[in-house]
Amino acid sequence: MKQAVQFGAGNIGRGFIAQLFCESDFATTFVDVNADLVSALNSRQAYPINIVGEGAEQVQVTNVNAINGNDVDLVSASIASADIVSTAVGAGVLKHIAPVIAKGLTRRFENGGGPLNILICENLHGGSDYLRQLVTQHLDISVR
């Protein structure tokens, strides 16, 4: 099964992005600093979401787990082996996750891995360029 890493297990991460990953046959590893939420996701490994409006339904999001964002080694290892990474943490938090993304990309490069798509799901004009700039600051020149 393909592997996605989702930074942020809030409304957008759990209620939208992970649903799309699940429907696309990805297992999703959430990265969040809320210890109770990380524990609940690891305990249940699935959760329901309610689609509202015409054709309302309840959908199960499955094949999920979570890592505490403070565990830099485990987060970077997950990035290194991921098929895709996405963020939904709020624009102001991107500067805090950039170093671990850089560490994960470095590990990926050192392990012979190829390019990695990172989806920036933030309400920020130019978010991808901004995150690229932040991550690049933490990358060794040989990895850039």
Side-chain angles (χ1 to χ4, degrees), residues 62-112:
T62 58
N63 296 312
V64 300
N65 70 314
I67 301 170
N68 190 303
N70 295 313
D71 190 339
V72 173
D73 193 53
L74 191 52
V75 174
S76 65
S78 293
I79 293 169
S81 63
D83 295 294
I84 194 165
V85 171
S86 59
T87 73
V89 294
V93 179
L94 291 175
K95 65 185 173 207
H96 299 293
I97 66 171
V100 72
I101 291 173
K103 185 172 182 174
L105 292 174
T106 299
R107 287 177 81 159
R108 183 181 189 87
F109 176 77
E110 290 170 348
N111 294 336

Side-chain angles (χ1 to χ4, degrees), residues 86-141:
S86 59
T87 73
V89 294
V93 179
L94 291 175
K95 65 185 173 207
H96 299 293
I97 66 171
V100 72
I101 291 173
K103 185 172 182 174
L105 292 174
T106 299
R107 287 177 81 159
R108 183 181 189 87
F109 176 77
E110 290 170 348
N111 294 336
L116 180 64
N117 288 317
I118 302 175
L119 305 174
I120 314 304
C121 303
E122 310 297 341
N123 188 13
L124 176 66
H125 180 72
S128 59
D129 291 334
Y130 177 64
L131 183 60
R132 180 182 294 113
Q133 180 183 41
L134 292 172
V135 170
T136 301
Q137 294 172 7
H138 299 281
L139 288 174
D140 184 78
I141 194 77

